[in-house]
Amino acid sequence: MTDYTDTIRSFIENEMAAPGTKVTLSPSDSLIDKGIVDSLGVQRLIAYLEKEFGVQIADTEIVPEHFETISAVAEFINFKLGAKG
Amino acid sequence: MDATTFTAEQDKFREMAMEFARRDLNPGAKEREKLGKFFEEGWRKCAEFGIPGITMPEEYGGLGLDTMTAVATMEGLGYACRDSGLLFSLNSHIWTCESPINRFGTPGQRRRYLPGLISGELKGGHAMTEPEAGSDAFSMRCRAEKRGDRYLLNGSKTFITNAPIADLLLVFAVTDGSKGFAGISAFIVEKGFPGFSAGRPLETMGLRTCPLGEVFLEDCEVPEENRLGAEGSGAAIFNSEMEWERSCLFAAHLGAMEKILEECVEYARQRHQFGRAIGKCQSVSHKIADMKLRTELSRLMLHRVAGLKSAGRRAPLESAMAKLFISESYVQNAGDALQIHGAYGYSTEFDFERNLRDAIAGKIYSGTSEIQRNIIASFLGL
Ligand SMILES: Cc1cc2nc3c(=O)[nH]c(=O)nc-3n(C[C@H](O)[C@H](O)[C@H](O)COP(=O)(O)OP(=O)(O)OC[C@H]3O[C@@H](n4cnc5c(N)ncnc54)[C@H](O)[C@@H]3O)c2cc1C
């Protein structure tokens, strides 16, 4: 099982934080509490994950558990890639 | 009309929808518009025709057809139907209630609600907007508190399409106040649930035959089995709904633009002033050329996004761009058509002024034009 934490962290830190701000996140930081991911941000994050990892994420899978932290996102991607076989 | 992206069967649906609208929906439309009267009989006929069930599964009474067929039908209705409030009411029912129940519902929820929504016996809608939370919808105040096997909903909603006539609404409420947008959940609320009430229809500038109103929830009891999706998935359900609505509802606008364009060409050819057809004046012909351009670009954008949805793809950016472009093009074309027809365009005897009043709403519902630009900018990393 590959650990995608750094790839995902890099996208979130560089692309999702407010333009011009530098953020450093730990894998367990709450992306929602820190205001990094909002309802629109989730859509951008999903578009990125689908493209980067070649997975299809169903609307029913867009639940907070999968997007609360970088670790949760990485775990979810591993699950999706595993399911893809 | 030309619509090269449709198959012969989809084209047939569009033609049939046009005929149906002329025959069954247009009689009395002007009078209803004046009075702001919902066309109950027309709703029933639309359901008989199969409109609410086009893309719905056959096991619940739907036709089980693809998204492009729904778009073709809506284009045909938009072209020929003069009761645009009824079309808007139907579209809200389909994209913001029936379709999310089909996609997010449990088998039990689908069995309970889809047959009635498809047959037209039940009317639906969704309730997100609140007096203090419009574009910033996720800052809502409406709360849902878990009490045993039910939720108690408290709050109020406003500008809710179909609220005065709805049998059920998809109501969004906060289940976890500490999580922002991730603490919002969706509930299927029946009008008969204790603590639910809807206000009288609000007076509006356009879409006057579509009832729009307030909803009040006072310790409204909603059984747990009526929560749609998991707790906290309200934002995902809402975003998904909006994506579908932005991808399909605006087909009716495209149809209306096609009709208006044809009428403008016809009028510019036959109306003579200063000894020649007004279409020979470049300021008129160029206006019409730009109308044609906006109509064709709208078609390309709409068919592209509907094609993506038909293929099961996500299209948040594409649907925002299509919604923005089509709704603004419709306002522009409706205004230009009115100008080209001069005082006849301004007169309530014809449909040009109504088209303009109806068109303006499209820049507000489904997320305002400004919010669509925010979505586009966000996808560009801004
Ligand atoms: C015909 C019609 C039908 C509707 N049906 C429904 C329905 O069925 N269910 C439902 O829940 N709601 C419905 N609505 C409500 C609709 O969703 C809201 O009107 C819409 O989201 C805008 O909210 P608001 O009217 O409170 O305006 P506000 O959000 O107060 O906005 C006022 C102005 O400020 C602009 N603005 C706000 N924030 C920003 C920003 N961040 N950046 C740039 N500009 C901004 C807006 O674009 C707008 O021009 C309907 C509205 C209409 C007109």
mmCIF file of all heavy atoms in Angstrom, chain B residues 88 92 96 125-137 157-163 172 204 206-207 210 212 238 242 245 360-371 374, ligand 1:
data_model
loop_
_atom_site.group_PDB
_atom_site.id
_atom_site.type_symbol
_atom_site.label_atom_id
_atom_site.label_comp_id
_atom_site.label_asym_id
_atom_site.label_seq_id
_atom_site.Cartn_x
_atom_site.Cartn_y
_atom_site.Cartn_z
ATOM 1 N N PHE B 88 -40.669 25.788 -14.728
ATOM 2 C CA PHE B 88 -39.707 25.982 -13.641
ATOM 3 C C PHE B 88 -40.088 25.124 -12.429
ATOM 4 O O PHE B 88 -39.234 24.489 -11.794
ATOM 5 C CB PHE B 88 -39.646 27.468 -13.268
ATOM 6 C CG PHE B 88 -38.642 27.762 -12.203
ATOM 7 C CD1 PHE B 88 -37.284 27.595 -12.447
ATOM 8 C CD2 PHE B 88 -39.035 28.181 -10.940
ATOM 9 C CE1 PHE B 88 -36.340 27.848 -11.458
ATOM 10 C CE2 PHE B 88 -38.099 28.433 -9.947
ATOM 11 C CZ PHE B 88 -36.750 28.269 -10.208
ATOM 12 N N SER B 92 -37.739 22.181 -10.832
ATOM 13 C CA SER B 92 -37.321 22.152 -9.423
ATOM 14 C C SER B 92 -37.696 20.808 -8.805
ATOM 15 O O SER B 92 -36.913 20.199 -8.084
ATOM 16 C CB SER B 92 -37.988 23.272 -8.625
ATOM 17 O OG SER B 92 -37.532 24.499 -9.093
ATOM 18 N N THR B 96 -34.281 18.969 -7.873
ATOM 19 C CA THR B 96 -33.922 19.245 -6.472
ATOM 20 C C THR B 96 -34.657 18.355 -5.474
ATOM 21 O O THR B 96 -34.493 18.521 -4.274
ATOM 22 C CB THR B 96 -34.160 20.729 -6.102
ATOM 23 O OG1 THR B 96 -35.570 20.980 -6.051
ATOM 24 C CG2 THR B 96 -33.502 21.677 -7.084
ATOM 25 N N GLY B 125 -39.758 19.743 -3.860
ATOM 26 C CA GLY B 125 -38.842 20.866 -4.036
ATOM 27 C C GLY B 125 -37.736 20.734 -3.015
ATOM 28 O O GLY B 125 -37.629 19.684 -2.355
ATOM 29 N N HIS B 126 -36.924 21.772 -2.878
ATOM 30 C CA HIS B 126 -35.901 21.711 -1.819
ATOM 31 C C HIS B 126 -35.797 23.049 -1.111
ATOM 32 O O HIS B 126 -36.067 24.101 -1.691
ATOM 33 C CB HIS B 126 -34.547 21.231 -2.363
ATOM 34 C CG HIS B 126 -33.720 22.312 -2.992
ATOM 35 N ND1 HIS B 126 -32.359 22.225 -3.098
ATOM 36 C CD2 HIS B 126 -34.062 23.496 -3.536
ATOM 37 C CE1 HIS B 126 -31.900 23.316 -3.682
ATOM 38 N NE2 HIS B 126 -32.899 24.090 -3.964
ATOM 39 N N ALA B 127 -35.449 22.983 0.162
ATOM 40 C CA ALA B 127 -35.436 24.195 0.975
ATOM 41 C C ALA B 127 -34.076 24.389 1.612
ATOM 42 O O ALA B 127 -33.719 23.700 2.570
ATOM 43 C CB ALA B 127 -36.533 24.102 2.040
ATOM 44 N N MET B 128 -33.337 25.333 1.038
ATOM 45 C CA MET B 128 -31.992 25.644 1.519
ATOM 46 C C MET B 128 -31.945 27.090 2.021
ATOM 47 O O MET B 128 -31.548 27.363 3.146
ATOM 48 C CB MET B 128 -31.016 25.464 0.329
ATOM 49 C CG MET B 128 -29.580 25.691 0.653
ATOM 50 S SD MET B 128 -28.983 24.234 1.523
ATOM 51 C CE MET B 128 -27.249 24.581 1.630
ATOM 52 N N THR B 129 -32.363 28.011 1.153
ATOM 53 C CA THR B 129 -32.231 29.448 1.428
ATOM 54 C C THR B 129 -32.997 29.867 2.691
ATOM 55 O O THR B 129 -34.123 29.415 2.922
ATOM 56 C CB THR B 129 -32.764 30.248 0.221
ATOM 57 O OG1 THR B 129 -32.083 29.800 -0.944
ATOM 58 C CG2 THR B 129 -32.540 31.741 0.394
ATOM 59 N N GLU B 130 -32.355 30.741 3.471
ATOM 60 C CA GLU B 130 -33.005 31.286 4.668
ATOM 61 C C GLU B 130 -32.960 32.807 4.586
ATOM 62 O O GLU B 130 -32.166 33.362 3.811
ATOM 63 C CB GLU B 130 -32.261 30.801 5.925
ATOM 64 C CG GLU B 130 -32.324 29.286 6.057
ATOM 65 C CD GLU B 130 -31.632 28.772 7.329
ATOM 66 O OE1 GLU B 130 -31.084 29.599 8.098
ATOM 67 O OE2 GLU B 130 -31.641 27.555 7.522
ATOM 68 N N PRO B 131 -33.771 33.482 5.417
ATOM 69 C CA PRO B 131 -33.754 34.948 5.347
ATOM 70 C C PRO B 131 -32.331 35.526 5.489
ATOM 71 O O PRO B 131 -31.999 36.507 4.841
ATOM 72 C CB PRO B 131 -34.654 35.361 6.511
ATOM 73 C CG PRO B 131 -35.581 34.208 6.691
ATOM 74 C CD PRO B 131 -34.802 32.979 6.340
ATOM 75 N N GLU B 132 -31.486 34.904 6.330
ATOM 76 C CA GLU B 132 -30.134 35.437 6.547
ATOM 77 C C GLU B 132 -29.054 34.644 5.824
ATOM 78 O O GLU B 132 -27.868 34.912 6.011
ATOM 79 C CB GLU B 132 -29.808 35.433 8.056
ATOM 80 C CG GLU B 132 -30.761 36.231 8.922
ATOM 81 C CD GLU B 132 -30.795 37.701 8.543
ATOM 82 O OE1 GLU B 132 -29.747 38.228 8.103
ATOM 83 O OE2 GLU B 132 -31.888 38.306 8.645
ATOM 84 N N ALA B 133 -29.423 33.628 5.077
ATOM 85 C CA ALA B 133 -28.418 32.793 4.401
ATOM 86 C C ALA B 133 -28.862 32.492 2.970
ATOM 87 O O ALA B 133 -29.627 31.564 2.730
ATOM 88 C CB ALA B 133 -28.202 31.491 5.178
ATOM 89 N N GLY B 134 -28.389 33.329 2.020
ATOM 90 C CA GLY B 134 -28.731 33.150 0.609
ATOM 91 C C GLY B 134 -27.563 32.519 -0.119
ATOM 92 O O GLY B 134 -27.385 31.298 -0.103
ATOM 93 N N SER B 135 -26.707 33.369 -0.721
ATOM 94 C CA SER B 135 -25.525 32.836 -1.417
ATOM 95 C C SER B 135 -24.631 32.084 -0.437
ATOM 96 O O SER B 135 -24.035 31.062 -0.788
ATOM 97 C CB SER B 135 -24.719 33.981 -2.038
ATOM 98 O OG SER B 135 -25.514 34.677 -2.958
ATOM 99 N N ASP B 136 -24.547 32.584 0.768
ATOM 100 C CA ASP B 136 -23.740 31.929 1.813
ATOM 101 C C ASP B 136 -24.629 30.880 2.496
ATOM 102 O O ASP B 136 -24.847 30.907 3.712
ATOM 103 C CB ASP B 136 -23.277 33.007 2.804
ATOM 104 C CG ASP B 136 -22.291 32.460 3.819
ATOM 105 O OD1 ASP B 136 -21.804 31.324 3.629
ATOM 106 O OD2 ASP B 136 -22.008 33.183 4.801
ATOM 107 N N ALA B 137 -25.123 29.956 1.675
ATOM 108 C CA ALA B 137 -26.177 29.040 2.130
ATOM 109 C C ALA B 137 -25.757 28.188 3.324
ATOM 110 O O ALA B 137 -26.566 27.866 4.191
ATOM 111 C CB ALA B 137 -26.589 28.134 0.975
ATOM 112 N N LYS B 157 -37.262 28.896 6.182
ATOM 113 C CA LYS B 157 -36.668 28.935 4.844
ATOM 114 C C LYS B 157 -37.482 29.902 4.001
ATOM 115 O O LYS B 157 -38.684 30.088 4.254
ATOM 116 C CB LYS B 157 -36.715 27.531 4.207
ATOM 117 C CG LYS B 157 -36.004 26.444 5.018
ATOM 118 C CD LYS B 157 -34.515 26.526 4.853
ATOM 119 C CE LYS B 157 -33.779 25.466 5.642
ATOM 120 N NZ LYS B 157 -32.318 25.569 5.493
ATOM 121 N N THR B 158 -36.852 30.475 2.983
ATOM 122 C CA THR B 158 -37.602 31.418 2.154
ATOM 123 C C THR B 158 -37.257 31.282 0.678
ATOM 124 O O THR B 158 -36.210 30.717 0.351
ATOM 125 C CB THR B 158 -37.399 32.868 2.659
ATOM 126 O OG1 THR B 158 -38.346 33.710 2.001
ATOM 127 C CG2 THR B 158 -35.988 33.384 2.398
ATOM 128 N N PHE B 159 -38.131 31.823 -0.164
ATOM 129 C CA PHE B 159 -38.002 31.736 -1.636
ATOM 130 C C PHE B 159 -37.934 30.283 -2.105
ATOM 131 O O PHE B 159 -37.152 29.953 -2.997
ATOM 132 C CB PHE B 159 -36.776 32.514 -2.128
ATOM 133 C CG PHE B 159 -36.846 33.980 -1.865
ATOM 134 C CD1 PHE B 159 -35.932 34.605 -1.033
ATOM 135 C CD2 PHE B 159 -37.856 34.747 -2.429
ATOM 136 C CE1 PHE B 159 -36.018 35.962 -0.771
ATOM 137 C CE2 PHE B 159 -37.958 36.110 -2.173
ATOM 138 C CZ PHE B 159 -37.028 36.719 -1.344
ATOM 139 N N ILE B 160 -38.735 29.435 -1.498
ATOM 140 C CA ILE B 160 -38.675 28.020 -1.842
ATOM 141 C C ILE B 160 -39.682 27.697 -2.953
ATOM 142 O O ILE B 160 -40.904 27.802 -2.758
ATOM 143 C CB ILE B 160 -38.956 27.137 -0.584
ATOM 144 C CG1 ILE B 160 -38.008 27.533 0.564
ATOM 145 C CG2 ILE B 160 -38.842 25.651 -0.928
ATOM 146 C CD1 ILE B 160 -36.535 27.563 0.204
ATOM 147 N N THR B 161 -39.137 27.291 -4.098
ATOM 148 C CA THR B 161 -39.977 26.939 -5.234
ATOM 149 C C THR B 161 -40.893 25.777 -4.857
ATOM 150 O O THR B 161 -40.419 24.784 -4.289
ATOM 151 C CB THR B 161 -39.092 26.533 -6.432
ATOM 152 O OG1 THR B 161 -38.226 27.616 -6.721
ATOM 153 C CG2 THR B 161 -39.921 26.200 -7.659
ATOM 154 N N ASN B 162 -42.145 25.915 -5.173
ATOM 155 C CA ASN B 162 -43.177 24.896 -4.938
ATOM 156 C C ASN B 162 -43.613 24.776 -3.474
ATOM 157 O O ASN B 162 -44.529 23.992 -3.184
ATOM 158 C CB ASN B 162 -42.741 23.494 -5.418
ATOM 159 C CG ASN B 162 -42.640 23.401 -6.923
ATOM 160 O OD1 ASN B 162 -43.189 24.243 -7.625
ATOM 161 N ND2 ASN B 162 -41.935 22.406 -7.429
ATOM 162 N N ALA B 163 -42.995 25.539 -2.553
ATOM 163 C CA ALA B 163 -43.352 25.360 -1.128
ATOM 164 C C ALA B 163 -44.863 25.407 -0.887
ATOM 165 O O ALA B 163 -45.398 24.542 -0.190
ATOM 166 C CB ALA B 163 -42.625 26.387 -0.261
ATOM 167 N N PHE B 172 -32.674 21.280 4.290
ATOM 168 C CA PHE B 172 -31.298 21.221 4.782
ATOM 169 C C PHE B 172 -31.225 21.899 6.148
ATOM 170 O O PHE B 172 -31.780 22.979 6.338
ATOM 171 C CB PHE B 172 -30.355 21.908 3.790
ATOM 172 C CG PHE B 172 -30.275 21.169 2.485
ATOM 173 C CD1 PHE B 172 -31.222 21.372 1.488
ATOM 174 C CD2 PHE B 172 -29.284 20.228 2.266
ATOM 175 C CE1 PHE B 172 -31.177 20.663 0.290
ATOM 176 C CE2 PHE B 172 -29.214 19.505 1.083
ATOM 177 C CZ PHE B 172 -30.166 19.733 0.090
ATOM 178 N N THR B 204 -43.897 37.671 -7.364
ATOM 179 C CA THR B 204 -42.595 37.846 -8.013
ATOM 180 C C THR B 204 -42.753 38.529 -9.365
ATOM 181 O O THR B 204 -43.844 38.587 -9.920
ATOM 182 C CB THR B 204 -41.901 36.486 -8.234
ATOM 183 O OG1 THR B 204 -42.807 35.624 -8.925
ATOM 184 C CG2 THR B 204 -41.466 35.850 -6.935
ATOM 185 N N GLY B 206 -41.278 37.636 -12.328
ATOM 186 C CA GLY B 206 -41.462 36.685 -13.429
ATOM 187 C C GLY B 206 -41.796 35.305 -12.886
ATOM 188 O O GLY B 206 -41.987 35.146 -11.681
ATOM 189 N N LEU B 207 -41.842 34.325 -13.782
ATOM 190 C CA LEU B 207 -42.185 32.943 -13.410
ATOM 191 C C LEU B 207 -43.404 32.943 -12.488
ATOM 192 O O LEU B 207 -43.439 32.238 -11.476
ATOM 193 C CB LEU B 207 -40.993 32.266 -12.716
ATOM 194 C CG LEU B 207 -39.706 32.159 -13.526
ATOM 195 C CD1 LEU B 207 -38.567 31.605 -12.674
ATOM 196 C CD2 LEU B 207 -39.885 31.295 -14.760
ATOM 197 N N CYS B 210 -45.419 29.967 -11.033
ATOM 198 C CA CYS B 210 -44.736 29.004 -10.161
ATOM 199 C C CYS B 210 -44.846 29.479 -8.710
ATOM 200 O O CYS B 210 -44.336 30.539 -8.361
ATOM 201 C CB CYS B 210 -43.256 28.917 -10.558
ATOM 202 S SG CYS B 210 -42.285 28.039 -9.350
ATOM 203 N N LEU B 212 -43.959 30.176 -5.075
ATOM 204 C CA LEU B 212 -42.679 30.318 -4.375
ATOM 205 C C LEU B 212 -43.030 30.802 -2.970
ATOM 206 O O LEU B 212 -43.852 31.707 -2.854
ATOM 207 C CB LEU B 212 -41.903 31.399 -5.124
ATOM 208 C CG LEU B 212 -40.432 31.608 -4.917
ATOM 209 C CD1 LEU B 212 -39.680 30.560 -5.715
ATOM 210 C CD2 LEU B 212 -40.025 32.984 -5.442
ATOM 211 N N PHE B 238 -26.424 18.818 -1.735
ATOM 212 C CA PHE B 238 -26.798 20.111 -2.313
ATOM 213 C C PHE B 238 -25.933 20.431 -3.541
ATOM 214 O O PHE B 238 -26.445 20.829 -4.592
ATOM 215 C CB PHE B 238 -26.656 21.211 -1.253
ATOM 216 C CG PHE B 238 -27.038 22.569 -1.754
ATOM 217 C CD1 PHE B 238 -28.363 22.900 -1.976
ATOM 218 C CD2 PHE B 238 -26.061 23.522 -2.011
ATOM 219 C CE1 PHE B 238 -28.714 24.156 -2.446
ATOM 220 C CE2 PHE B 238 -26.402 24.779 -2.489
ATOM 221 C CZ PHE B 238 -27.743 25.101 -2.703
ATOM 222 N N MET B 242 -27.261 20.911 -7.363
ATOM 223 C CA MET B 242 -27.029 22.138 -8.120
ATOM 224 C C MET B 242 -26.333 21.833 -9.445
ATOM 225 O O MET B 242 -26.622 22.440 -10.461
ATOM 226 C CB MET B 242 -26.197 23.140 -7.302
ATOM 227 C CG MET B 242 -26.939 23.795 -6.168
ATOM 228 S SD MET B 242 -28.326 24.819 -6.738
ATOM 229 C CE MET B 242 -29.713 23.763 -6.447
ATOM 230 N N GLU B 245 -28.984 20.466 -11.724
ATOM 231 C CA GLU B 245 -29.915 21.520 -12.131
ATOM 232 C C GLU B 245 -29.247 22.448 -13.146
ATOM 233 O O GLU B 245 -29.834 22.800 -14.168
ATOM 234 C CB GLU B 245 -30.403 22.307 -10.912
ATOM 235 C CG GLU B 245 -31.441 23.354 -11.267
ATOM 236 C CD GLU B 245 -32.132 23.954 -10.049
ATOM 237 O OE1 GLU B 245 -33.129 23.375 -9.610
ATOM 238 O OE2 GLU B 245 -31.666 24.993 -9.549
ATOM 239 N N ILE B 360 -34.736 37.009 -16.040
ATOM 240 C CA ILE B 360 -33.935 37.618 -14.967
ATOM 241 C C ILE B 360 -33.765 36.679 -13.769
ATOM 242 O O ILE B 360 -32.696 36.621 -13.150
ATOM 243 C CB ILE B 360 -34.525 38.995 -14.583
ATOM 244 C CG1 ILE B 360 -34.205 39.984 -15.717
ATOM 245 C CG2 ILE B 360 -33.959 39.509 -13.257
ATOM 246 C CD1 ILE B 360 -34.887 41.316 -15.612
ATOM 247 N N ALA B 361 -34.801 35.901 -13.480
ATOM 248 C CA ALA B 361 -34.708 34.981 -12.335
ATOM 249 C C ALA B 361 -33.545 34.001 -12.480
ATOM 250 O O ALA B 361 -32.927 33.596 -11.489
ATOM 251 C CB ALA B 361 -36.023 34.211 -12.187
ATOM 252 N N GLY B 362 -33.233 33.642 -13.724
ATOM 253 C CA GLY B 362 -32.153 32.675 -13.968
ATOM 254 C C GLY B 362 -30.788 33.147 -13.520
ATOM 255 O O GLY B 362 -29.870 32.348 -13.322
ATOM 256 N N LYS B 363 -30.641 34.465 -13.350
ATOM 257 C CA LYS B 363 -29.354 34.990 -12.858
ATOM 258 C C LYS B 363 -29.274 34.917 -11.339
ATOM 259 O O LYS B 363 -28.247 35.255 -10.754
ATOM 260 C CB LYS B 363 -29.176 36.445 -13.307
ATOM 261 C CG LYS B 363 -28.926 36.574 -14.808
ATOM 262 C CD LYS B 363 -28.893 38.020 -15.263
ATOM 263 C CE LYS B 363 -27.828 38.828 -14.559
ATOM 264 N NZ LYS B 363 -27.709 40.189 -15.088
ATOM 265 N N ILE B 364 -30.385 34.504 -10.707
ATOM 266 C CA ILE B 364 -30.425 34.474 -9.234
ATOM 267 C C ILE B 364 -30.531 33.045 -8.692
ATOM 268 O O ILE B 364 -29.741 32.643 -7.825
ATOM 269 C CB ILE B 364 -31.600 35.336 -8.710
ATOM 270 C CG1 ILE B 364 -31.434 36.783 -9.204
ATOM 271 C CG2 ILE B 364 -31.657 35.296 -7.179
ATOM 272 C CD1 ILE B 364 -32.636 37.667 -8.929
ATOM 273 N N TYR B 365 -31.507 32.272 -9.191
ATOM 274 C CA TYR B 365 -31.656 30.922 -8.618
ATOM 275 C C TYR B 365 -30.551 29.990 -9.105
ATOM 276 O O TYR B 365 -29.857 30.302 -10.065
ATOM 277 C CB TYR B 365 -33.050 30.334 -8.891
ATOM 278 C CG TYR B 365 -33.428 30.140 -10.334
ATOM 279 C CD1 TYR B 365 -32.843 29.157 -11.114
ATOM 280 C CD2 TYR B 365 -34.410 30.936 -10.916
ATOM 281 C CE1 TYR B 365 -33.200 28.964 -12.428
ATOM 282 C CE2 TYR B 365 -34.780 30.755 -12.248
ATOM 283 C CZ TYR B 365 -34.159 29.769 -12.984
ATOM 284 O OH TYR B 365 -34.521 29.594 -14.291
ATOM 285 N N SER B 366 -30.396 28.863 -8.417
ATOM 286 C CA SER B 366 -29.312 27.900 -8.714
ATOM 287 C C SER B 366 -27.945 28.520 -8.469
ATOM 288 O O SER B 366 -26.957 28.095 -9.058
ATOM 289 C CB SER B 366 -29.364 27.476 -10.190
ATOM 290 O OG SER B 366 -30.010 26.280 -10.343
ATOM 291 N N GLY B 367 -27.882 29.529 -7.634
ATOM 292 C CA GLY B 367 -26.629 30.257 -7.396
ATOM 293 C C GLY B 367 -26.549 31.440 -8.343
ATOM 294 O O GLY B 367 -26.686 31.271 -9.556
ATOM 295 N N THR B 368 -26.341 32.633 -7.795
ATOM 296 C CA THR B 368 -26.341 33.845 -8.633
ATOM 297 C C THR B 368 -25.181 33.824 -9.637
ATOM 298 O O THR B 368 -24.238 33.040 -9.495
ATOM 299 C CB THR B 368 -26.195 35.111 -7.763
ATOM 300 O OG1 THR B 368 -24.914 35.067 -7.123
ATOM 301 C CG2 THR B 368 -27.278 35.225 -6.703
ATOM 302 N N SER B 369 -25.260 34.740 -10.596
ATOM 303 C CA SER B 369 -24.168 34.865 -11.582
ATOM 304 C C SER B 369 -22.836 35.107 -10.877
ATOM 305 O O SER B 369 -21.801 34.554 -11.263
ATOM 306 C CB SER B 369 -24.442 36.044 -12.511
ATOM 307 O OG SER B 369 -25.480 35.728 -13.391
ATOM 308 N N GLU B 370 -22.879 35.932 -9.838
ATOM 309 C CA GLU B 370 -21.631 36.255 -9.119
ATOM 310 C C GLU B 370 -21.054 34.989 -8.478
ATOM 311 O O GLU B 370 -19.840 34.772 -8.490
ATOM 312 C CB GLU B 370 -21.895 37.321 -8.040
ATOM 313 C CG GLU B 370 -22.220 38.711 -8.579
ATOM 314 C CD GLU B 370 -23.666 38.846 -9.103
ATOM 315 O OE1 GLU B 370 -24.479 37.933 -8.875
ATOM 316 O OE2 GLU B 370 -23.956 39.863 -9.762
ATOM 317 N N ILE B 371 -21.926 34.157 -7.938
ATOM 318 C CA ILE B 371 -21.456 32.926 -7.287
ATOM 319 C C ILE B 371 -20.884 31.963 -8.337
ATOM 320 O O ILE B 371 -19.881 31.282 -8.091
ATOM 321 C CB ILE B 371 -22.600 32.279 -6.454
ATOM 322 C CG1 ILE B 371 -22.958 33.182 -5.260
ATOM 323 C CG2 ILE B 371 -22.228 30.866 -5.982
ATOM 324 C CD1 ILE B 371 -21.814 33.556 -4.310
ATOM 325 N N ASN B 374 -17.506 33.052 -8.935
ATOM 326 C CA ASN B 374 -16.643 32.651 -7.809
ATOM 327 C C ASN B 374 -16.213 31.190 -7.970
ATOM 328 O O ASN B 374 -15.067 30.840 -7.697
ATOM 329 C CB ASN B 374 -17.376 32.796 -6.468
ATOM 330 C CG ASN B 374 -17.531 34.246 -6.046
ATOM 331 O OD1 ASN B 374 -16.970 35.143 -6.673
ATOM 332 N ND2 ASN B 374 -18.287 34.482 -4.989
HETATM 333 C C1 LIG C 1 -37.141 32.216 -8.782
HETATM 334 C C2 LIG C 1 -36.351 31.761 -7.605
HETATM 335 C C3 LIG C 1 -36.498 30.467 -7.144
HETATM 336 C C4 LIG C 1 -35.777 30.027 -6.029
HETATM 337 N N1 LIG C 1 -35.988 28.760 -5.566
HETATM 338 C C5 LIG C 1 -35.321 28.324 -4.463
HETATM 339 C C6 LIG C 1 -35.555 27.016 -3.944
HETATM 340 O O1 LIG C 1 -36.342 26.247 -4.486
HETATM 341 N N2 LIG C 1 -34.890 26.640 -2.830
HETATM 342 C C7 LIG C 1 -33.997 27.453 -2.200
HETATM 343 O O2 LIG C 1 -33.405 27.034 -1.216
HETATM 344 N N3 LIG C 1 -33.767 28.716 -2.654
HETATM 345 C C8 LIG C 1 -34.403 29.169 -3.774
HETATM 346 N N4 LIG C 1 -34.195 30.442 -4.253
HETATM 347 C C9 LIG C 1 -33.305 31.330 -3.537
HETATM 348 C C10 LIG C 1 -31.977 31.514 -4.235
HETATM 349 O O3 LIG C 1 -31.220 30.337 -4.149
HETATM 350 C C11 LIG C 1 -31.259 32.706 -3.588
HETATM 351 O O4 LIG C 1 -32.028 33.843 -3.914
HETATM 352 C C12 LIG C 1 -29.839 32.889 -4.088
HETATM 353 O O5 LIG C 1 -29.016 31.851 -3.622
HETATM 354 C C13 LIG C 1 -29.235 34.226 -3.653
HETATM 355 O O6 LIG C 1 -29.456 34.492 -2.309
HETATM 356 P P1 LIG C 1 -30.084 35.906 -1.845
HETATM 357 O O7 LIG C 1 -31.274 36.154 -2.686
HETATM 358 O O8 LIG C 1 -30.247 35.853 -0.380
HETATM 359 O O9 LIG C 1 -29.002 36.976 -2.235
HETATM 360 P P2 LIG C 1 -27.642 37.311 -1.433
HETATM 361 O O10 LIG C 1 -26.868 36.089 -1.198
HETATM 362 O O11 LIG C 1 -27.968 38.176 -0.276
HETATM 363 O O12 LIG C 1 -26.879 38.167 -2.528
HETATM 364 C C14 LIG C 1 -27.186 39.525 -2.837
HETATM 365 C C15 LIG C 1 -26.221 39.962 -3.947
HETATM 366 O O13 LIG C 1 -24.858 39.875 -3.467
HETATM 367 C C16 LIG C 1 -24.105 39.019 -4.325
HETATM 368 N N5 LIG C 1 -23.140 38.258 -3.545
HETATM 369 C C17 LIG C 1 -23.351 37.584 -2.382
HETATM 370 N N6 LIG C 1 -22.242 36.978 -1.960
HETATM 371 C C18 LIG C 1 -21.289 37.250 -2.892
HETATM 372 C C19 LIG C 1 -19.924 36.885 -3.041
HETATM 373 N N7 LIG C 1 -19.297 36.115 -2.154
HETATM 374 N N8 LIG C 1 -19.255 37.329 -4.147
HETATM 375 C C20 LIG C 1 -19.885 38.112 -5.065
HETATM 376 N N9 LIG C 1 -21.176 38.489 -4.965
HETATM 377 C C21 LIG C 1 -21.867 38.064 -3.904
HETATM 378 C C22 LIG C 1 -25.131 38.115 -4.977
HETATM 379 O O14 LIG C 1 -24.652 37.550 -6.195
HETATM 380 C C23 LIG C 1 -26.302 39.046 -5.190
HETATM 381 O O15 LIG C 1 -26.112 39.815 -6.344
HETATM 382 C C24 LIG C 1 -34.884 30.901 -5.370
HETATM 383 C C25 LIG C 1 -34.731 32.225 -5.852
HETATM 384 C C26 LIG C 1 -35.451 32.641 -6.952
HETATM 385 C C27 LIG C 1 -35.277 34.049 -7.453
#
